């Protein structure tokens, strides 16, 4: 299942009338970028520990 926190943050950011149009997309890209980066580091750490 896809983590929904970046999607919720992007949805909540659209409620403000002064929010620029690019903010929800930026939140989604940054949020999922952090999740992908964390997942890659976690997989690398697990592989390193298995080799020992």
């Amino acid at each position: 299942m896809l983590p929904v926190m970046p999607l919720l943050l992007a949805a909540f950011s659209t409620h403000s009338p002064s929010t620029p149009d690019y903010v929800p997309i930026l939140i989604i890209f940054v949020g999922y970028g952090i999740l992908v980066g964390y997942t890659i580091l976690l997989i690398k750490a697990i592989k390193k520990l298995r080799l020992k």
Side-chain angles (χ1 to χ4, degrees):
M1 188 171 143
L2 192 64
V4 295
M5 194 61 193
L7 294 175
L8 287 175
L9 288 172
F12 290 147
S13 73
T14 59
H15 289 298
S16 175
S18 63
T19 302
D21 290 338
Y22 61 86
V23 170
I25 289 294
L26 186 64
I27 291 172
I28 290 172
F29 282 140
V30 170
Y32 283 116
I34 290 171
L35 288 173
V36 166
Y38 177 77
T39 304
I40 290 170
L41 289 175
L42 182 66
I43 291 171
K44 283 185 176 186
I46 290 171
K47 285 183 179 180
K48 274 267 188 189
L49 289 174
R50 283 188 179 176
L51 293 175
K52 288 186 176 186

